[in-house]
Amino acid sequence: MALRIVRVPVLSDNYAWLVHDPVSGETVAVDPGEAAPVQAAAAAEGWTIDQVWTTHWHPDHTGGNADIRATGARVTGPAAEAAKIPTLDATVGEGDVVRIGTEVAQVLHVPGHTAGHIAFHLADEGVIFTGDTLFAMGCGRLFEGTPAEMFANMQRYAALPDATQVYCGHEYTQSNGRFALAIEPDNAALAARMADVDAARAAGEPTVPTTIGLERATNPFLRAQDANGLGKLRERKDSFRG
């Protein structure tokens, strides 16, 4: 991988991501829920944030945009949610591209969690930023969309190469895994993964990024057979207290 990616914990359980291209020296902040930790992490690396990429309008993903933009960064986000993200300098949608140095990220429209949610896929790097759509062993709540939309998203993600690194927006893996085990108690890959997740969280370690291959084996939402099945899973997850 030519790019360097740094995880930045923000707020209570969010992750922002710093993406740095050592060739051009350019740095992108993805979904900075608050500015200070992201700016501090960039400064610690000796980087200047040149861009912000925003996956959706929710404040825990856009809260740092204004302060980072004030330092000269250009903010790009979903055209369909421009009215809800006043900090945007540029808008993108399905089929558009954004760049960091010479590296190109394809923009995917992945509605469901919010109506205009997008993902950023750096195919040559084997990296995708999924915001609050695909999580480790989970998917986002359907606040503004339908099971059919989220199922279509899962199908798109499942078609990516197994080695694709998935950078999502939250540390939800342990609770997602408990639900997944309730759905598939005989899934040996899932049980093994949860043992690793529980050990990591007990040690205070993060569990993301994940990979498409790992999600294909252990994520009940990515493994759903149809939109109706995904919708029922999402309803059960919304009330799950395990």
Side-chain angles (χ1 to χ4, degrees):
M1 181 186 294
L3 299 177
R4 280 197 60 203
I5 302 177
V6 172
R7 179 192 308 102
V8 186
V10 297
L11 303 172
S12 62
D13 56 20
N14 278 71
Y15 290 129
W17 303 97
L18 287 171
V19 186
H20 180 74
D21 174 28
V23 177
S24 67
E26 193 169 9
T27 303
V28 174
V30 181
D31 283 353
E34 55 181 335
V38 178
Q39 291 170 318
E45 298 285 349
W47 301 341
T48 298
I49 300 173
D50 303 285
Q51 299 185 60
V52 174
W53 294 351
T54 298
T55 62
H56 64 295
W57 68 266
H58 285 166
D60 62 330
H61 291 255
T62 60
N65 283 13
D67 286 346
I68 296 174
R69 183 173 183 260
T71 67
R74 179 176 174 83
V75 182
T76 300
E81 297 182 359
K84 295 182 177 181
I85 313 174
T87 49
L88 294 184
D89 297 301
T91 60
V92 290
E94 175 71 31
D96 291 332
V97 298
V98 292
R99 290 177 171 83
I100 172 172
T102 61
E103 301 295 332
V104 176
Q106 193 83 14
V107 176
L108 310 180
H109 180 220
V110 284
H113 181 68
T114 65
H117 200 300
I118 58 176
F120 298 96
H121 181 213
L122 289 137
D124 288 347
E125 291 286 299
V127 165
I128 190 164
F129 295 93
T130 59
D132 283 1
T133 49
L134 178 63
F135 291 126
M137 291 189 282
C139 77
R141 286 179 180 264
L142 299 176
F143 288 125
E144 298 179 6
T146 66
E149 288 174 327
M150 190 60 81
F151 178 72
N153 298 340
M154 296 298 109
Q155 294 296 104
R156 294 187 77 177
Y157 291 140
L160 298 175
D162 279 358
T164 303
Q165 295 278 312
V166 178
Y167 293 83
C168 59
H170 289 271
E171 182 57 69
Y172 288 166
T173 312
Q174 197 168 38
S175 59
N176 285 345
R178 289 175 184 143
F179 174 74
L181 275 174
I183 299 300
E184 293 189 78
D186 298 324
N187 183 329
L190 176 55
R193 185 180 185 186
M194 272 305 290
D196 291 340
V197 166
D198 287 339
R201 295 310 293 155
E205 297 173 354
T207 64
V208 293
T210 179
T211 67
I212 291 295
L214 194 54
E215 294 313 304
R216 192 180 289 113
T218 61
N219 187 327
F221 297 95
L222 205 69
R223 292 161 63 80
Q225 297 301 301
D226 52 39
N228 183 58
L230 184 144
K232 290 179 178 178
L233 282 174
R234 189 62 255 182
E235 287 179 2
R236 288 182 63 180
K237 178 65 168 64
D238 289 346
S239 60
F240 183 71
R241 296 294 181 266

